Amino acid sequence: MTAPATPPAGGRRLLAVLLVHSALTQVITFVLRPTSAYRAIELDVPTAWLGALTASFAVVPLLLAVPSGQATDRFGERRVMLAGAVLLLLSAVVFASERGGAAGLVVGSVVLGTGHLLSVVGQQAAVANTAGPGRFDTAFGHYTFAASLGQAVGPGLITVAGGTGALPDTRPIFFLAAAIAVLLLACTTVLRFPVRERTGGSAEAGGMGTLLRLPGLLRALSISCVVLAAVDITLVYLPALGADRGLAAGTVGLLLTLRAVASMTSRFFLGRLVRLAGRRRLMLVSVTLSAVSMAAVAVPMPVAGTAVLVVLLGLGLGVGQPLTMSWLAETAPAGLRGRAMSLRLTGNRLGQVLIPSAVGLLAAGVGSAGVLWATAAALALAGAAARRLRVDGG
């Protein structure tokens, strides 16, 4: 494989700011989502409204994902990211106002989900357009590492601002999130991207068709959504498996932390791993490792053995998302990368809704272990798709 190109100093600075932007976006989101749930509990919100609160974050963004990609390609990453930062700030203000009861929380969640979507689509298109050929794997590995870091830091701020009680004081947390959103807004205003030709005319009309005709697109999107759904299933069913085996909550929490840290590690070193093994082989190995580790975790064994398997699982699951991003960035035409990333996000959202539901129904009779085995089977199918995916680019 060819050696990666070294970006100019200005490009490195821009990528660094984008990584900060990514981390701040995830911090805000992962502070506000659980805090809004705590606020709903304070208000004695019915279970149906709790479900609406959860769904409202994802449903509207699912409908707006492709249009947001079109807007990114047409108007530029900075404008879309600026709109996303404004909406994230607005969502924190809506939550902090404590008006409207359960309906107000749902409105705040819709605004939060939309702001998160616009920020993420803009970020991913910006990374793709800034990194340059030969740097996509390293850039997207670091980008997803920064996002994971923000997701880890965010929930910890709930204790910092809201106290250690069973129900935290939510209003200071909302104000803290608003302050971080102001910081995100300031970070967005200093972003300066190189002037690039925007799509329009016939390209605008045929852009999505061009993307859908890319060889291997459906396989890449399938791998991405299965890997992300596997992460979500791990977050829910590993605690359930621990409860079945009588493991302490602290032990399960440590296992989840090990998985997250392992994923961050593989993402941070993604560029080097690709140079050592090649994209296609790394994709195949990582998905296969995830499938085998997921199946083995469900087998009864000492905690130390489970910890080793969870680390291997995290290393495998951490690779799928950034590798599909870098493949899309390299394969999609430069003026269509926003739409390419939005297509990936749409597939991911559908996978997050459909795959856990299907796996749960199929394996309902055999408990948490059965769910993990069924998920391992889905990963094995994704591995088969990875064998036929041409992901080694220039």
Side-chain angles (χ1 to χ4, degrees):
M1 297 183 65
T2 58
T6 301
R12 288 196 296 269
R13 286 194 295 269
L14 181 54
L15 283 172
V17 176
L18 282 171
L19 297 186
V20 173
H21 196 283
S22 172
L24 290 175
T25 299
Q26 300 300 333
V27 167
I28 295 165
T29 303
F30 278 73
V31 166
L32 288 178
R33 290 197 72 188
T35 306
S36 65
Y38 281 126
R39 178 61 183 157
I41 294 171
E42 289 176 358
L43 296 174
D44 292 324
V45 168
T47 304
W49 276 101
L50 282 176
L53 181 63
T54 302
S56 59
F57 176 83
V59 170
V60 174
L62 179 61
L63 300 175
L64 295 179
V66 172
S68 69
Q70 293 171 330
T72 301
D73 291 330
R74 185 169 185 177
F75 302 112
E77 303 94 332
R78 184 173 177 270
R79 292 181 181 179
V80 172
M81 292 166 66
L82 191 61
V86 169
L87 289 176
L88 289 174
L89 175 58
L90 179 60
S91 69
V93 172
V94 170
F95 285 131
S97 70
E98 299 185 350
R99 294 181 180 178
L105 291 176
V106 170
V107 169
S109 185
V110 168
V111 176
L112 174 64
T114 306
H116 178 265
L117 170 76
L118 293 175
S119 297
V120 167
V121 170
Q123 289 162 5
Q124 293 180 8
V127 172
N129 287 322
T130 302
R135 292 280 305 175
F136 290 132
D137 299 302
T138 297
F140 278 110
H142 289 173
Y143 168 76
T144 50
F145 172 86
S148 297
L149 183 62
Q151 293 169 8
V153 170
L157 295 180
I158 294 175
T159 301
V160 173
T164 58
L167 283 179
D169 187 359
T170 56
R171 196 162 193 186
I173 305 173
F174 290 140
F175 281 125
L176 175 61
I180 299 172
V182 171
L183 183 60
L184 176 68
L185 198 56
C187 180
T188 311
T189 58
V190 302
L191 286 170
R192 292 291 183 271
F193 296 104
V195 177
R196 288 183 292 271
E197 182 180 352
R198 305 298 176 194
T199 58
S202 60
E204 191 71 32
M208 195 57 70
T210 300
L211 288 175
L212 292 174
R213 288 191 294 271
L214 290 176
L217 176 70
L218 292 180
R219 288 194 187 101
L221 297 183
S222 298
I223 293 168
S224 179
C225 78
V226 169
V227 169
L228 186 60
V231 173
D232 284 355
I233 288 168
T234 303
L235 292 174
V236 174
Y237 285 99
L238 194 58
L241 184 72
D244 291 343
R245 296 180 181 172
L247 298 180
T251 300
V252 175
L254 177 60
L255 292 175
L256 290 173
T257 300
L258 287 173
R259 187 210 61 78
V261 171
S263 292
M264 291 171 68
T265 302
S266 62
R267 288 173 170 181
F268 188 80
F269 294 106
L270 183 66
R272 296 182 186 179
L273 292 173
V274 169
R275 290 195 291 275
L276 286 172
R279 255 192 226 146
R280 182 176 178 275
R281 185 179 299 170
L282 182 60
M283 178 78 84
L284 178 59
V285 169
S286 68
V287 177
T288 303
L289 178 63
S290 300
V292 173
S293 301
M294 182 78 79
V297 162
V299 177
M301 67 181 69
V303 173
T306 303
V308 171
L309 290 171
V310 164
V311 169
L312 295 176
L313 177 63
L315 289 172
L317 291 177
V319 169
Q321 296 297 309
L323 264 189
T324 52
M325 288 183 199
S326 63
W327 178 83
L328 275 175
E330 191 164 88
T331 306
L336 299 177
R337 285 172 178 155
R339 266 165 281 198
M341 296 303 166
S342 69
L343 268 180
R344 195 190 70 86
L345 287 170
T346 301
N348 283 352
R349 290 289 184 269
L350 285 172
Q352 283 179 292
V353 173
L354 298 178
I355 293 176
S357 303
V359 167
L361 288 174
L362 288 172
V366 286
S368 302
V371 172
L372 296 180
W373 283 325
T375 305
L379 285 167
L381 291 175
R387 289 178 62 88
R388 299 189 296 272
L389 183 63
R390 296 181 179 178
V391 292
D392 287 303

